[in-house]
Amino acid sequence: MSELPVGSTLRPEVIPSRWNLLRDVGVFQLKLLLDGCRDAVLLPVSLLVALVDLLGLGPRAGRQFYLLLQFGSRTEYWINLFGAAQQAEALASPPRPGVDMLVDRLERMVVQEYERGGITASTKDAVDRALDNLTRGGPAGRNPPGPST
C-alpha cells in the first residue's frame, strides 16, 4: 500500500534540511491552530446564517449561507493547511498569498538578522549543537540507553 495519496508528486529523494523541517512543522502547527479557530467560529455562525436563510430574514435571504461558504473557501485557500507538501517539491516557486507569504516574510527578517550576526546567530548555533547532540545520543556522543543487542 502506498504511503502517499494517489497522484502525489513528493519524491523520496526530496529531503528538507533540519531548519526547513523545523520551520515547516512550526508553520503547520500555526495553520492547524488557525484552521481550528476558523472551524470553531464557522460552526455556530453557519447554523445561525442557515436559520436566518430558512426563515427568509435579511436583505439576501436564501443566499447568506452560500456567501458564508464562499468566505470559508477563501479562508481555506489563504490558510493552505498542507502547503508545505507542495513547497517541498517546488522550492523555487514563490509562496502563494496567505499564511505562507506572511511566514516567508518573517523568515526573511530572521535570516537578515542572522546574517548581520545578531542574537539569532548564537541561538541558531546553540540549537544546532543541541540537535546534533540528540542525534548522536548525548553531549559526549554516546548512544542513549536502550535494549542491548
Side-chain angles (χ1 to χ4, degrees), residues 115-138:
E115 287 171 348
R116 281 189 234 141
I119 190 158
T120 55
S122 61
T123 303
K124 179 193 177 294
D125 290 340
V127 171
D128 269 335
R129 281 192 307 276
L131 290 171
D132 286 341
N133 287 336
L134 284 174
T135 58
R136 283 194 308 259

Side-chain angles (χ1 to χ4, degrees), residues 30-97:
L30 172 67
K31 288 179 176 186
L32 283 171
L33 180 67
L34 290 172
D35 192 56
C37 290
R38 185 221 29 214
D39 291 346
V41 169
L42 281 179
L43 181 87
V45 170
S46 66
L47 292 173
L48 179 66
V49 169
L51 181 63
V52 168
D53 272 356
L54 287 171
L55 296 175
L57 305 174
R60 296 181 177 178
R63 294 190 55 228
Q64 296 171 129
F65 178 75
Y66 297 100
L67 293 172
L68 181 67
L69 289 180
Q70 288 175 343
F71 169 77
S73 179
R74 285 192 306 270
T75 61
E76 188 172 74
Y77 177 84
W78 189 81
I79 293 172
N80 190 22
L81 186 59
F82 299 103
Q86 291 96 21
Q87 287 294 85
E89 271 303 306
L91 294 174
S93 68
R96 66 186 221 187

Side-chain angles (χ1 to χ4, degrees), residues 16 19-29 84-85 87-88 91:
W19 286 101
N20 283 341
L21 179 61
L22 285 173
R23 173 196 179 274
D24 287 345
V25 168
V27 170
F28 182 62
Q29 296 305 309
Q87 287 294 85
L91 294 174

Side-chain angles (χ1 to χ4, degrees), residues 97-117:
V99 174
D100 293 320
M101 186 175 283
L102 294 174
V103 169
D104 283 346
R105 285 182 187 163
L106 178 62
E107 184 179 23
R108 269 183 279 166
M109 289 176 13
V110 170
V111 167
Q112 287 172 352
E113 179 66 22
Y114 169 73
E115 287 171 348
R116 281 189 234 141

